Amino acid sequence: MGKKKQSNNGLMSSAGLMRYYEEDKRAIHLDPKAVMVFGLLCGFAVILLSASYGTWP
């Protein structure tokens, strides 16, 4: 039997995904833990400000 022709291009749908990830290299990358800590600090600040202005339930 003849050899199967191997293609290094992959599927056509994966070619679009590769282009997407190449564009993603220029984006700002944040650590998920840093985002969680920032969110918790913002929530804590809102609670403290609410308590200090007397709007805490």
Side-chain angles (χ1 to χ4, degrees):
M1 298 192 115
K3 293 183 180 180
K4 292 183 180 179
K5 183 178 178 182
Q6 294 181 352
S7 175
N8 292 334
N9 295 337
L11 298 173
M12 290 300 289
S13 62
S14 67
L17 290 174
M18 293 304 290
R19 281 189 230 131
Y20 171 75
Y21 286 120
E22 288 173 3
E23 292 294 324
D24 190 44
K25 290 179 183 177
R26 294 185 291 171
I28 297 172
H29 296 281
L30 298 173
D31 185 32
K33 291 179 184 176
V35 174
M36 292 295 293
V37 169
F38 181 73
L40 289 172
L41 288 176
C42 287
F44 190 66
V46 168
I47 290 171
L48 283 178
L49 289 171
S50 297
S52 68
Y53 286 108
T55 58
W56 184 255

